[in-house]
Amino acid sequence: MLVDSPPEASTAPAPTAPRKRHALRSAGLLGSVAVLAVVVVLGIAVGAKQIPLDQVWHGVFHYSGTDTDVVVHDVRIPRTLLGLIAGAALGLAGTVMQALTRNPLADPGVLGINAGASAAVVSAISLFGITSLTGYVWFAFAGAAVVSVAVYVLGGTRNATPVRLALAGTALTAVLVGYINAVNLMDTAALDKMRFWTVGSLAAATMPTVTHVAPFLAVGGVLALLLARPLNAIALGDDQARALGARLTRTRVLAMVAVTLLCGGATAACGPIVYVGLMVPHVVRAITGPDLRWILPYSAVLSPVLLLGADVLGRVAARPGELQVGIVTAVIGGPVFIYLVRRRRMAQL
């Protein structure tokens, strides 16, 4: 009796769809890191003052104190490093805020955290005469923390909802912006000191600036990355998040702590730079989908690409002067924000 023999089993099973997606996302992340490396090189090599590449190389690796070495080593390198860590902080903060509020148009400004840090720094400069980062960085953190707590309390503490948090943040932002404008109008000396800081700038970056804010941004960044899973649950809605075992209050408090550290440090060092935390997460979602375990790392890589790219563009476009990076990101982000608002899918969320 003949028995049909079974077909030979394949020696290597075909990769499943999830494996393919994982491989594509990993490759995309590596490609994003490569793009970031290119932008970092441009940030050091390109500026308002044209310096030949061989002199740029000498200033980076063979510092001897010449004028070009000083420009490259003491100005461009700290500026690029600050843009790198501040961009990552703003991107992570924006991603966390959009997940926390379930609002695709949210960024740290929606909850008033940037405004709180800015108001505290303005107070430090105007009332106490503090003009160094080492002095007013603590005011920035205090302002961000106070506003975070105030938003959480006004939003209903244990009964806080994304809508309540957003409304509370919007109300506090309006009050704080009015206060900042009043101080600027009444204190012309403080206005002169703050005129570059208030539009958002990397021009005053120094290595002490980088070293002072880097630890705070690192802690906030690590905390944000660790919150990816519970924030994924919260994005499904409170009821489903509870069913999945997520601790809503704990997650929201930790998310606010992360955003406070990220926004407080970035705002103290660079001023209130807008739209970075809004634009980049939307670009990332088109690549990765809705999983925050991928969105957060991508945002941490691509946000510095945007910030440093805008900084280089501002230096080149207005030679021999320069446009502050906050102006460039606002010019880019305004049309993007309008586009996002007008999108039918976005409006229905």
Side-chain angles (χ1 to χ4, degrees):
M1 183 176 178
L2 296 176
V3 179
D4 293 336
S5 60
E8 293 182 3
S10 175
T11 56
T16 61
R19 288 181 181 175
K20 289 182 179 179
R21 286 197 299 269
H22 186 278
L24 288 174
R25 289 167 176 171
S26 299
L29 187 58
L30 291 175
S32 300
V33 172
V35 173
L36 177 59
V38 172
V39 176
V40 167
V41 172
L42 289 175
I44 298 174
V46 179
K49 178 181 179 180
Q50 298 187 33
I51 300 176
L53 290 179
D54 60 332
Q55 294 184 28
V56 172
W57 179 272
H58 187 275
V60 174
F61 297 104
H62 306 286
Y63 180 81
S64 60
T66 64
D67 290 343
T68 54
D69 285 355
V70 170
V71 171
V72 172
H73 190 273
D74 297 342
V75 177
R76 291 187 184 177
I77 289 179
R79 183 172 185 162
T80 301
L81 291 176
L82 182 59
L84 182 66
I85 61 175
L90 293 172
L92 287 171
T95 303
V96 170
M97 295 317 305
Q98 290 176 16
L100 185 65
T101 62
R102 297 197 292 272
N103 180 355
L105 300 179
D107 71 357
V110 171
L111 295 193
I113 297 174
N114 279 350
S118 299
V121 171
V122 167
S123 299
I125 294 173
S126 178
L127 301 180
F128 303 103
I130 299 173
T131 58
S132 66
L133 174 69
T134 55
Y136 62 64
V137 65
W138 301 106
F139 284 83
F141 285 124
V146 168
V147 172
S148 298
V149 174
V151 167
Y152 191 66
V153 171
L154 293 175
T157 58
R158 292 183 177 275
N159 297 320
T161 64
V163 174
R164 289 180 179 178
L165 291 173
L167 289 175
T170 301
L172 284 176
T173 297
V175 173
L176 293 170
V177 168
Y179 167 76
I180 293 170
N181 291 335
V183 171
N184 288 340
L185 290 173
M186 295 171 61
D187 191 341
T188 56
L191 174 61
D192 185 62
K193 296 174 183 176
M194 295 182 298
R195 59 195 178 99
F196 289 111
W197 182 87
T198 53
V199 298
S201 174
L202 300 176
T206 62
M207 284 309 298
T209 301
V210 175
T211 56
H212 275 94
V213 300
F216 301 104
L217 300 185
V219 173
V222 170
L223 183 56
L225 292 171
L226 292 176
L227 290 172
R229 286 183 180 274
L231 286 175
N232 270 340
I234 286 180
L236 300 174
D238 289 359
D239 292 337
Q240 293 190 42
R242 291 190 185 95
L244 292 173
R247 300 180 181 179
L248 300 185
T249 301
R250 177 186 176 186
T251 299
R252 285 179 177 140
V253 169
L254 290 176
M256 296 296 286
V257 171
V259 171
T260 297
L261 291 172
L262 294 169
C263 292
T267 302
C270 308
I273 297 175
V274 297
Y275 290 125
V276 174
L278 172 68
M279 291 187 287
V280 173
H282 287 285
V283 175
V284 170
R285 287 189 190 93
I287 302 172
T288 66
D291 191 347
L292 286 165
R293 292 174 298 177
W294 287 100
I295 295 175
L296 286 167
Y298 264 87
S299 295
V301 174
L302 290 180
S303 294
V305 171
L306 173 61
L307 188 61
L308 289 173
D311 189 43
V312 171
L313 179 62
R315 283 184 263 172
V316 172
R319 283 175 173 170
E322 65 177 70
L323 291 174
Q324 304 304 317
V325 67
I327 298 174
V328 179
T329 58
V331 170
I332 297 172
V336 172
F337 183 79
I338 294 172
Y339 167 75
L340 293 175
V341 170
R342 289 179 62 86
R343 282 179 59 186
R344 181 177 302 177
R345 282 179 52 198
M346 199 67 66
Q348 293 174 349
L349 287 176

